[in-house]
Amino acid sequence: LDVIDIEENIWSPLYGLKGQIDGSLLVDVEEDALGPRVMPLELKTGARRSDHEHNAQLSLYLLLMADRYHQHVAAGMLHYSNANI
């Protein structure tokens, strides 16, 4: 696991989207013969709201990263820092 960037400002003219990814990671998945893959990490604090909103945001980050890094981005990580949630 390597950190590529923190609070990466990312945009895609292809999709007409922009965002700020909390953590852009390079992850080596053992089952992936293609080698290390990029993956977004989204950190959430405060009260947990609908997972649909957070999952939609993460899905859009997958598109943005795929366009920027020219590779399929199959997954991302969503972390809630408040353990009481």
Side-chain angles (χ1 to χ4, degrees):
L1 173 80
D2 290 312
V3 177
I4 298 170
D5 202 351
I6 296 172
E7 294 185 354
E8 178 179 10
N9 288 310
I10 192 167
W11 63 93
S12 169
L14 175 67
Y15 297 112
L17 297 170
K18 64 181 180 176
Q20 187 174 40
I21 301 172
D22 291 332
S24 298
L25 309 176
L26 189 62
V27 179
D28 192 8
V29 180
E30 291 181 14
E31 296 83 25
D32 191 345
L34 299 174
R37 310 297 285 171
V38 294
M39 181 180 292
L41 167 65
E42 183 62 18
L43 302 173
K44 295 297 182 187
T45 60
R48 187 173 183 169
R49 299 180 313 200
S50 168
D51 283 341
H52 298 296
E53 295 171 12
H54 296 161
N55 287 330
Q57 180 184 12
L58 193 62
S59 295
L60 292 172
Y61 287 164
L62 299 179
L63 288 175
L64 288 168
M65 290 189 89
D67 190 30
R68 162 147 314 158
Y69 294 102
H70 307 289
Q71 63 176 254
H72 177 67
V73 182
M77 292 185 275
L78 184 58
H79 176 73
Y80 294 93
S81 63
N82 188 342
N84 296 327
I85 298 177

